[in-house]
Amino acid sequence: MRPLIRWAARLYPPRWRNRYGAEFDALLDDISPSLGDVFNIIGDVLRVRATASDASLVWAPVSQTMRLPVIISLTSHALMVTLILWAAFSVTPMPLQVSVAPIPPPAPEAPPVVTDARVFPDALTLYSSLPLTTSAQGDAIRLYVADGVGINFLPLPDIGARYRQGDIERRVWPGRALEAFIVRRVLPEYPHGTNTRGTASVFVEYRVSRGGSVKVLRTSGPMPFTSAAQSAIEQWAYRPLQYEGRPCEVVSRVEVRFDSEFAQSGMSQ
Amino acid sequence: MQDPTILILASLADGDKHGYAIMEDIQVFAGIRLGPGTLYGAICRLEGCGWIRAVKSESRRQPYRITAEGSKHLKEQLALLGQVVRTGNRRMREA
């Protein structure tokens, strides 16, 4: 599929290719192209060529050098498009006969056991029960909650990046996007035994498995705050995540902020 | 909300992104996968309108940034969309 989509990208006018060609090729390297993407590009090529305000900029490089190789190239492109369209509309799918053992129904999932008053059964409850302030930096959402513990969803510079380990592919999603899928959140306990005063930040990178369970990959920050953050975050649970209709694993990062002042007063901000 | 130009402006509202990052971001926050042709068709139009601009980069992946005019246009479109949503919801309740 990749050669086909590169061929389709070459149909853009030269002026368009000069401006966007390199970055467009980089995009095609990043995606997993489908036949739909090929038609999507061909459709945009037709739109660009049909709506260019200065037609000479689009067609002139071809018409001025309209020699035999160019004519052959254009003809072969047209034939290839015709063949693809013919194949797409004329192939009749054969009935699929596959015998497989019946799949046992999935075991009913036990509801989360609420052992802590600070366990929130779903995201809506979380949002509706907490004061929510928007920070001055972009639209990062900070949630300061009772007992001096807050969660800050960080803007991630590598959003959408893919990491592959064996057969498993992981994608980087921002924590804010994951909020739509969360079913259980346990907020960290402020470690009252510490002498730390003021604010302590812990940065946590975690992985959400295909089943929705959470595993902390790494933490950064002072002890014992990192332990408190890790043990709480590993109790979070999400609905199974999907990307392009397929189950996927996701990596995200949050900042957990501990504030001794609010922890002592028992107040929230 | 299928207009790719508004989706791209919304994606760039929280920072610069290159084409693939925009595509992934929109997939995450709107559940819509823009095809590469649709994406670059919209980027081309947005750049032509002066609503986004390319940011200098050494990489092949060209990041884009929303301009002040782009932010203004996005706010207007979101306000209009909010008005439509509020009106639709109110009429659904009254029906």
Side-chain angles (χ1 to χ4, degrees):
Chain A
M1 191 58 63
R2 211 168 279 282
L4 191 59
I5 202 165
R6 292 203 178 285
W7 161 81
R10 284 203 301 272
L11 297 178
Y12 277 107
R15 189 180 180 212
W16 192 99
R17 292 279 306 160
N18 288 340
R19 169 62 187 86
Y20 297 106
E23 58 188 277
F24 196 70
D25 287 344
L27 174 71
L28 298 183
D29 287 341
D30 288 335
I31 65 172
S32 304
S34 63
L35 190 60
D37 289 332
V38 176
F39 285 112
N40 181 262
I41 290 174
I42 291 174
D44 194 56
V45 166
L46 294 174
R47 186 195 61 76
V48 169
R49 288 190 177 271
T51 60
S53 57
D54 185 352
S56 65
L57 292 173
V58 175
W59 294 108
V62 175
S63 59
Q64 287 171 3
T65 58
M66 185 63 83
R67 299 191 183 93
L68 189 58
V70 178
I71 294 172
I72 290 172
S73 172
L74 288 173
T75 308
S76 63
H77 285 160
L79 278 174
M80 195 178 295
V81 171
T82 307
L83 280 172
I84 290 169
L85 291 173
W86 175 79
F89 289 106
S90 65
V91 173
T92 306
M94 295 181 64
L96 189 63
Q97 294 181 346
V98 181
S99 58
V100 294
I103 300 171
E109 189 177 342
V113 180
V114 180
T115 57
D116 185 332
R118 302 196 303 170
V119 174
F120 294 90
D122 57 53
L124 287 177
T125 306
L126 176 73
Y127 278 121
S128 61
S129 63
L130 297 176
L132 187 151
T133 58
T134 303
S135 78
Q137 300 168 345
D139 60 351
I141 299 172
R142 285 181 182 170
L143 299 173
Y144 281 93
V145 299
D147 297 334
V149 181
I151 295 172
N152 183 15
F153 297 116
L154 304 166
L156 306 181
D158 57 344
I159 176 176
R162 288 179 295 180
Y163 298 99
R164 183 174 286 280
Q165 186 176 48
D167 293 336
I168 298 175
E169 184 177 272
R170 296 173 188 146
R171 288 174 179 273
V172 177
W173 279 20
R176 277 181 295 139
L178 287 173
E179 286 302 287
F181 297 90
I182 195 160
V183 293
R184 187 177 65 204
R185 184 198 304 287
V186 179
L187 297 169
E189 290 275 2
Y190 190 96
H192 285 284
T194 177
N195 291 325
T196 304
R197 292 288 173 264
T199 303
S201 283
V202 173
F203 295 91
V204 182
E205 183 178 72
Y206 61 96
R207 182 188 74 218
V208 182
S209 72
R210 292 182 178 184
S213 62
V214 172
K215 173 73 178 168
V216 169
L217 301 177
R218 53 184 172 169
T219 59
S220 168
M223 284 290 283
F225 299 103
T226 49
S227 299
Q230 177 169 352
S231 61
I233 288 175
E234 290 194 331
Q235 296 178 66
W236 293 5
Y238 293 86
R239 282 189 283 121
L241 303 166
Q242 290 199 333
Y243 182 79
E244 294 183 344
R246 296 192 304 271
C248 68
E249 289 197 347
V250 164
V251 171
S252 190
R253 303 179 201 104
V254 294
E255 176 193 9
V256 182
R257 191 167 297 182
F258 298 85
D259 192 312
S260 64
E261 183 185 346
F262 292 118
Q264 286 168 358
S265 65
M267 290 174 61
S268 59
Q269 181 186 349
Chain B
M1 176 47 83
Q2 297 283 334
D3 183 354
T5 57
I6 299 301
L7 293 171
I8 291 170
L9 288 175
S11 176
L12 293 177
D14 72 343
D16 304 348
K17 292 185 187 68
H18 54 70
Y20 181 63
I22 294 172
M23 189 187 272
E24 292 286 296
D25 188 37
I26 290 172
Q27 170 90 40
V28 169
F29 78 72
I32 295 170
R33 183 185 183 277
L34 296 183
T38 306
L39 177 72
Y40 266 83
I43 284 177
C44 188
R45 290 196 297 278
L46 287 168
E47 207 177 13
C49 292
W51 291 338
I52 64 171
R53 65 180 174 85
V55 182
K56 192 174 181 182
S57 168
E58 301 298 323
S59 166
R60 289 168 67 216
R61 292 168 178 79
Q62 173 64 62
Y64 287 91
R65 177 173 299 166
I66 191 167
T67 63
E69 293 82 6
S71 294
K72 185 181 170 200
H73 176 72
L74 178 62
K75 280 179 189 167
E76 289 169 357
Q77 292 298 310
L78 293 180
L80 181 63
L81 185 65
Q83 175 71 23
V84 171
V85 170
R86 283 192 296 276
T87 304
N89 281 333
R90 192 182 68 245
R91 292 182 180 178
M92 290 287 283
R93 282 196 301 272
E94 293 168 356

